[in-house]
Amino acid sequence: MRLLFTLLLLFISSLAPLSAQDCFSQSKAEELLALLEEYPQFLWLEEAGFVEVFLDDEINYQIDASCGYIFYLQGTTINGKPFRAKLSAKKMYFAQNGEVLSLSKLLSQKETSGNYLICNSKSAYTYHKGYCRGLNRCTHGISRVSEARARALGRRRCKFCW
């Protein structure tokens, strides 16, 4: 019995614990989904280097009560091999404007770079660069959000602002 318990403890300790970067809060999960919709192709870091992956349409996730959302990716590599992995922010990279950025860095950029306005009404469907005539009829309050958050809410760009 004692040997079985010791072996069980060794097995549990050998499992990789969830890193804070592998779990996402609801707002970060929404930003991540918007990001994956914008960039369905990404680079995955493996021991031998980067593997280029094309994401399938479906993204699976699980909710862990202790940390938040855990995502499972599936797709195809550039060589046509199937790809399946638990999302790890340390292993996921995106090519953007000739530079390769980690998921962590890209999410933090999205958070700070977007100061867009939305009307808090359930019937609102746009986001705005600033106070424009498109917000004149908003009676439900106005919130400042990132562009990724606005898109995750199903909003599109205001035609007056752009």
Side-chain angles (χ1 to χ4, degrees), residues 5 10 12 14 19 26-27 31 63 68 71-72 97 102 108 122 124 142-143 154:
F5 183 73
L10 285 172
I12 291 172
S14 71
S19 153
Q26 183 171 353
S27 63
E31 286 182 41
I63 299 175
F71 290 93
Y72 298 92
N97 301 327
S102 71
S108 67
K122 290 180 182 178
I142 297 171
S143 296

Side-chain angles (χ1 to χ4, degrees), residues 18 36 42 45 64-65 70 97 128 133 140 145 150 152 160 162:
L18 282 176
L36 290 174
F42 59 89
L45 182 63
D64 184 312
I70 302 168
N97 301 327
H128 309 267
R133 66 183 183 165
H140 291 83
V145 297
F160 300 122
W162 275 276

Side-chain angles (χ1 to χ4, degrees), residues 136-150:
N136 285 345
R137 294 186 304 179
C138 180
T139 59
H140 291 83
I142 297 171
S143 296
R144 211 171 262 291
V145 297
S146 69
E147 187 171 20
R149 173 80 172 135

